[in-house]
Amino acid sequence: ILADSESAVILRLRGPLDLKCLLDSIDVVPMQKAISRTFEALRLQVKSESCVLAVCNSPVLIWPNKSVFEEISPDAPCEDIFQFIQTDDQETSGNRSAKKKNKKRVSASVINLSLMMEATKPGPVSAPILTRTVQKSHLLCATLPMDCAIWSSCSDTIKDGCERLMKALTRQLFEMEKVTLQCMKGTTLLIPEPLHFLLPEPNGLVTVVFPSGVPDKELEAQRQELHGQFELPDNKPFFRRANTYHFPNEPYKDGYLRNPHTVLTHPTLDNGKVYLVQGIYSYHHYMQDRMDDNGWGCAYRSLQTICSWFQQQGYVERGVPSHKEIQQALVEVGDKQASFVGSRQWIGSIEVQAVLNHLLGVTSKIMFVSQGSELASKGRELANHFMTEGTPVMIGGGVLAHTILGIAWSETTGEIRYLILDPHYTGAEDLPVITEKGWCGWKGPDFWDQTAYYNLCLPQRPRVI
Amino acid sequence: MAAADGHMESSCSSVKEDPPARGKHRTVALKLASLHSTFNRMKMGICKFCLNSYLLLFSIGNFLLQTLLAKLLHCSAELLVLCLHVSRCTLPKDDPQVVCGRKDLFLALAGLFSMGRSYIVEDDVEGYLSRLCSQLAGPVTGLLIGQSMVQRDFVVMATRTPQNNESSDGGKSVDKEWVSEHARQVSRMLPGGLSVLGVFLISESDAKETLTTLRQLVFSVENLISSERLWTPADDDVTDCVTLHVNPKTRKTVCRTFDVKDPKSMAKPADWKYQSGVCSSWATVSCCLSVDLMVPLPENMAFTRNMGDCLKGELKVWAQQIERGVCLIEGRKLPEDSELKAGQKKNVRQTISAQLLITPDVQTAADVVQRCGGCVSVSGAIHSRAFLHSNKPKAKLAEKLLKRDIVSTVATRVQMLLEEPQTQNEENKGRKQTEQFCLPRRVFCPVKSTGPLSVCDYQFSDEGLSEMTDRFKEMLDMDAAEEDLDATQEMIAEVIESEVTEGVAMATAVALLALAASIVYLSDV
């Protein structure tokens, strides 16, 4: 995905900051002034000598405004911090052998830092004063969830990295102030929330502050502005909540594997190019979610994989539908009788198209081949699909359904390979098993039943931001 | 009628007393036995000589000690203590059951048996108690102050309960509330690491009466002190409190402990040993800490009581923030079990500097902006200090004691301020009103002229150092001179109310040195 991912280190600083002030008046202007003053005080606080950055799971402590570095030298490269970090031994399933098998580094490494304040200071000190203000007023009390991330290359020293982090922190406070004031309505205040997005080069990792709790559809104007600012195409979402960057080694809470195909080595064909699904999907297959659909649910699972793609790219907010929900949708559109719900009847690409339309509002193209051997000639169409739409493709025929995640195709020789995600797998979310046994793998044209006819459902990406 | 066939050896270890002769115990046992008409039952009794409880098993013919052990394994520690007392009896050797079981029994008991606490006491305390014996008539109570560790305990000073001029009988009887109130106030004067370990009683009353009195006192004292605490006790804290009974005529002392966590706890024997230099070998850990609290006042005005409650609530939250904070010793985050550099020399003063890093609580209130009737803020800094007996003190302990002192010193001062009459002014004229009060500053007084230990008190801006020396005398029976006091760690802030800007009244505090009248002796603490 990224050019320099091999040597990159992400420094991520997180920590809460108290936003607290007494509001004499809740008229707009005085309230804005009070809030601005409080933000200014916070900016002074993070510039003060009591600001401390603590590297998580390590004894490394940095006072960035005093240039005090505990345990490490400020001129050392950022990567050196890894030596001090003690991680738990538990790794997400499959990572161990994936590392052995695949030499290329999938993504950058993250150094997590915590923002803390030193409460102690040199003495002698001035004893505390108690101030009591009695007045009918309002108290503003919130916690700002500071979250800054910067991309650092291998030549960056720890000192540089920290300076950039602190600048990002101050900048974030300014942005949070802006968002807070913009979204203020009477006495309702929304807490600003920083989100990270990985944009295509040259932008890279970008942090945007959104008001928390506001759904995506109400933030379209902000997204328009951002698309303009970063010169992004206006028909593809980059700033929806689902598009937030998932930091490497952060586990997904739902337990599904994401993009198992990325650990594979892609085939090289003469004058061939690889065209792949763009974005993130989850692998759905037989027996997941305690649903025993062995033998009949393969198309449902392929459909679930496709739905997961739309959710994770931010096109829809609804979660992946269950078998029942899929069946219910087909009843609702009149495609099936009510008795269909709860049954173990197969579905095909037409039904997949119908459900995608009904539940997700997504249109799909259907491609038909009268025999499996014809699939080899569909290289150009499939290549175009992955280039322009980039969505996973459901293919059903004979008695099986599969998901096509990409193709390797040579325009000159016509050679073709298909990257297949197989929903017939019944085991656990074990990446090495899935990739080694070919449940996610590259297949040749003989993978298809040469005499059976096939229908392909090619979901179209909505042109929205 | 068969009796417990035993010679009960004394396992109490009050140094001043000779171990009672075996024969006496036997007589007692027989006497008790004669009072009971039932057999094969376990009975509790009190030995008149060593004042220890013991377990007496009546059985025809022999001790069924194995049965005893089986039953006692389900019992509390106190009973196990008593069991060993019993098991030291000579057993009839020809009893097959007993003979083969005895070794196992002893080993099992040795493993389960808790030998009782061991108090190492500063020599001066002996002299002090002795003087109290000769000076005063009527019962004398007082407090014992020191540090309780898992392995052993150190007592550094004792202080008698001050005269109660309002007492109904002129101080002839022991006033539980008065003793407890004294303990509560003394507790506020102890920096981290030092606490009220228990009470002493000088009286000629008999054993049973003093035991009851001491028991009542120690529970009452502990309950009152712990009710003010804002920090949560740890699981590995020692919950035993000591009681010392001194007979003024014979100078005999008896030392016992009670587990104050268990309302039904029985007295356990404990060692009481005098030693010189107990006050010298301590390490000091200290820091100065900024305090910045802000809490809203509720809309309807019910004043000081509400302000006190609001503050207490906020202090509890702040106390948790402190407890969660990351503590650095000498600039580094040390592993919990690491030992601090403890000098072996007793006279070398050791001060360990500590730093505390904190993160704010995450607010979870639904509404970011809430109505209120104003707010109270506490802003400034404090000097915190804790003492550890430097027998290889652990970093974890230093952190725990320092954090507790930080929480206590702020809570104490707020409490003291709330108790002052001027803060209880009720007037509210309906318009905006801002008042500022200075919290008292911390002043230290050394326990001994040499040695690092000190006690402390709090000085309001309208008090002089002479008032402090008076209080040290009254509360802790210490003869301190003004020159001995260390008032350099904190300065009383003077309040200048600057322009009241919209939103928050900013008070600029200008630090002043203590009142010029007092001569401050700069000690090198």
Side-chain angles (χ1 to χ4, degrees), chain A residues 15-18 20-26 29-31 33-34 37 50 52 54-55 58-59 61 63 66 70-71 114-143 187-191, chain B residues 287-290 294 296-297 299 301 307 311 314 326 328 331-332 355-363 368-382 417 423 428 431-439 441 488-491 493 495 502-504 509:
Chain A
L17 281 180
D18 256 347
K20 224 176 190 180
C21 75
L22 193 65
L23 298 168
D24 260 358
S25 146
I26 49 170
V29 172
M31 199 161 147
K33 280 197 182 155
R37 257 203 312 274
S50 22
V52 181
V55 176
S58 85
L61 294 164
W63 280 253
K66 279 210 285 201
E70 207 43 69
E71 302 288 332
S114 272
L115 178 66
M116 304 182 98
M117 288 295 153
E118 181 178 346
T120 43
K121 60 192 220 182
V125 292
S126 180
I129 293 181
L130 188 147
T131 308
R132 176 173 69 196
T133 305
V134 177
Q135 181 201 20
K136 274 210 192 318
S137 44
H138 289 75
L139 182 75
L140 164 65
C141 188
T143 305
T187 55
T188 313
L189 238 67
L190 297 168
I191 299 178
Chain B
C287 71
C288 285
L289 188 112
S290 299
M294 196 206 284
L297 288 171
E299 266 186 280
M301 307 297 177
M307 176 166 91
L311 273 172
E314 185 67 17
V326 173
L328 308 177
R332 299 172 63 223
Q355 289 162 278
L356 196 68
L357 310 176
I358 54 176
T359 48
D361 267 336
V362 176
Q363 307 288 350
V368 170
V369 176
Q370 290 179 322
R371 304 172 71 89
C372 65
C375 78
V376 186
S377 72
V378 176
S379 188
I382 51 107
L417 185 63
T423 37
N428 170 37
R431 54 173 167 76
K432 176 173 176 171
Q433 211 183 337
T434 302
E435 292 164 275
Q436 292 192 312
F437 306 93
C438 293
L439 261 56
R441 69 158 175 179
T488 59
Q489 305 299 331
E490 293 180 9
M491 297 173 281
V495 172
E502 279 168 37
V504 178

Side-chain angles (χ1 to χ4, degrees), chain B residues 119-167:
Chain B
Y119 289 86
I120 313 279
V121 189
E122 169 67 41
D123 260 346
D124 293 351
V125 172
E126 187 179 9
Y128 180 73
L129 292 174
S130 208
R131 279 197 302 280
L132 287 178
C133 283
S134 42
Q135 281 169 9
L136 305 160
V140 182
T141 53
L143 306 173
L144 298 165
I145 293 164
Q147 182 169 92
S148 245
M149 318 256 44
V150 173
Q151 303 300 343
R152 65 172 86 136
D153 313 81
F154 299 96
V155 177
V156 298
M157 63 189 283
T159 176
R160 49 95 192 97
T161 309
Q163 276 294 83
N164 183 1
N165 298 324
E166 294 162 33
S167 99

Side-chain angles (χ1 to χ4, degrees), chain A residues 140-197:
Chain A
L140 164 65
C141 188
T143 305
L144 298 172
M146 308 310 295
D147 189 346
C148 300
I150 56 153
W151 206 274
S152 119
S153 74
C154 56
S155 56
D156 268 356
T157 61
I158 293 172
K159 190 160 190 270
D160 289 340
C162 286
E163 266 175 34
R164 287 172 55 205
L165 262 182
M166 296 312 291
K167 284 207 183 103
L169 191 63
T170 308
R171 218 173 26 240
Q172 190 163 98
L173 279 169
F174 272 114
E175 284 171 21
M176 283 183 165
E177 180 183 343
K178 198 169 101 183
V179 168
T180 308
L181 293 175
Q182 265 174 6
C183 301
M184 198 172 91
K185 282 197 199 94
T187 55
T188 313
L189 238 67
L190 297 168
I191 299 178
E193 183 185 15
L195 297 171
H196 306 288
F197 301 96

Side-chain angles (χ1 to χ4, degrees), chain B residues 13-115:
Chain B
S13 20
S14 160
V15 170
K16 302 290 175 190
E17 185 199 8
D18 300 319
R22 288 182 172 201
K24 281 186 190 161
H25 273 113
R26 196 188 169 99
T27 318
V28 166
L30 286 170
K31 262 197 180 159
L32 274 173
S34 67
L35 295 171
H36 295 280
S37 54
T38 51
F39 302 96
N40 289 336
R41 269 210 291 159
M42 285 191 272
K43 277 283 172 202
M44 294 283 289
I46 298 179
C47 170
K48 276 197 170 187
F49 297 89
C50 67
L51 296 172
N52 290 320
S53 311
Y54 66 86
L55 199 65
L56 198 62
L57 183 69
F58 293 93
S59 163
I60 302 172
N62 57 33
F63 291 108
L64 294 173
L65 283 172
Q66 282 181 326
T67 326
L68 180 69
L69 173 66
K71 287 189 182 170
L72 284 175
L73 283 172
H74 300 289
C75 289
S76 67
E78 282 81 350
L79 284 179
L80 286 170
V81 170
L82 313 172
C83 176
L84 190 60
H85 187 97
V86 168
S87 71
R88 285 186 185 171
C89 314
T90 46
L91 300 165
K93 288 203 175 113
D94 48 345
D95 186 318
Q97 245 182 334
V98 176
V99 163
C100 66
R102 187 179 177 161
K103 240 193 187 161
D104 305 337
L105 171 68
F106 252 98
L107 288 174
L109 285 173
L112 297 165
F113 180 57
S114 63
M115 292 299 294

Side-chain angles (χ1 to χ4, degrees), chain A residues 82-99:
Chain A
F82 286 111
Q83 296 165 18
F84 294 93
I85 297 180
Q86 299 137 21
T87 47
D88 298 335
D89 279 330
Q90 47 171 198
E91 298 175 84
T92 52
S93 66
N95 273 356
R96 259 167 281 138
S97 44
K99 275 185 192 153

Side-chain angles (χ1 to χ4, degrees), chain A residues 188-424:
Chain A
T188 313
L189 238 67
L190 297 168
I191 299 178
E193 183 185 15
L195 297 171
H196 306 288
F197 301 96
L198 191 59
L199 302 179
E201 294 297 314
N203 292 306
L205 194 62
V206 148
T207 310
V208 180
V209 176
F210 282 116
S212 64
V214 177
D216 279 336
K217 51 181 183 288
E218 287 173 38
L219 294 169
E220 192 162 336
Q222 280 93 328
R223 291 202 297 278
Q224 296 264 23
E225 203 188 307
L226 288 163
H227 275 247
Q229 189 187 335
F230 290 102
E231 293 175 6
L232 295 166
D234 61 355
N235 58 6
K236 190 174 170 190
F238 284 95
F239 292 105
R240 296 209 182 187
R241 287 219 161 76
N243 299 122
T244 51
Y245 179 58
H246 179 259
F247 285 87
N249 296 331
E250 230 177 73
Y252 286 95
K253 290 186 198 116
D254 57 17
Y256 296 111
L257 289 180
R258 301 296 197 279
N259 291 28
H261 71 271
T262 49
V263 301
L264 302 171
T265 4
H266 303 312
T268 40
L269 309 172
D270 277 342
N271 277 326
K273 270 168 59 168
V274 171
Y275 307 85
L276 290 177
V277 64
Q278 296 169 34
I280 304 177
Y281 61 88
S282 327
Y283 181 19
H284 291 265
H285 57 79
Y286 277 169
M287 309 303 280
Q288 277 179 341
D289 321 314
R290 297 205 192 97
M291 179 64 168
D292 182 351
D293 59 336
N294 194 348
W296 61 272
C298 44
Y300 292 81
R301 297 294 184 182
S302 179
L303 172 54
Q304 283 180 335
T305 299
I306 294 172
C307 290
S308 79
W309 186 94
F310 281 96
Q311 182 198 18
Q312 288 176 84
Q313 263 49 250
Y315 290 102
V316 295
E317 280 171 15
R318 73 154 294 145
V320 169
S322 64
H323 288 56
K324 265 226 169 83
E325 285 168 333
I326 292 169
Q327 291 173 334
Q328 187 61 42
L330 286 168
V331 170
E332 277 167 26
V333 297
D335 189 72
K336 300 277 186 244
Q337 307 271 27
S339 55
F340 180 61
V341 180
S343 72
R344 302 160 114 216
Q345 288 182 45
W346 299 354
I347 55 174
S349 16
I350 307 298
E351 285 86 355
V352 168
Q353 179 190 43
V355 174
L356 284 175
N357 185 47
H358 183 68
L359 288 183
L360 273 58
V362 164
T363 51
S364 323
K365 287 199 182 135
I366 299 286
M367 192 197 285
F368 170 75
V369 290
S370 49
Q371 5 184 49
S373 48
E374 264 180 55
L375 264 171
S377 62
K378 297 290 183 183
R380 187 177 303 279
E381 272 124 302
L382 288 170
N384 278 338
H385 169 85
F386 286 113
M387 277 198 301
T388 56
E389 307 303 322
T391 56
V393 170
M394 177 261 175
I395 178 167
V399 293
L400 300 174
H402 290 94
T403 313
I404 304 179
L405 296 173
I407 56 165
W409 177 62
S410 163
E411 204 171 335
T412 50
T413 65
E415 255 192 292
I416 189 167
R417 301 276 182 281
Y418 307 86
L419 180 55
I420 302 294
L421 189 68
D422 198 335
H424 301 92

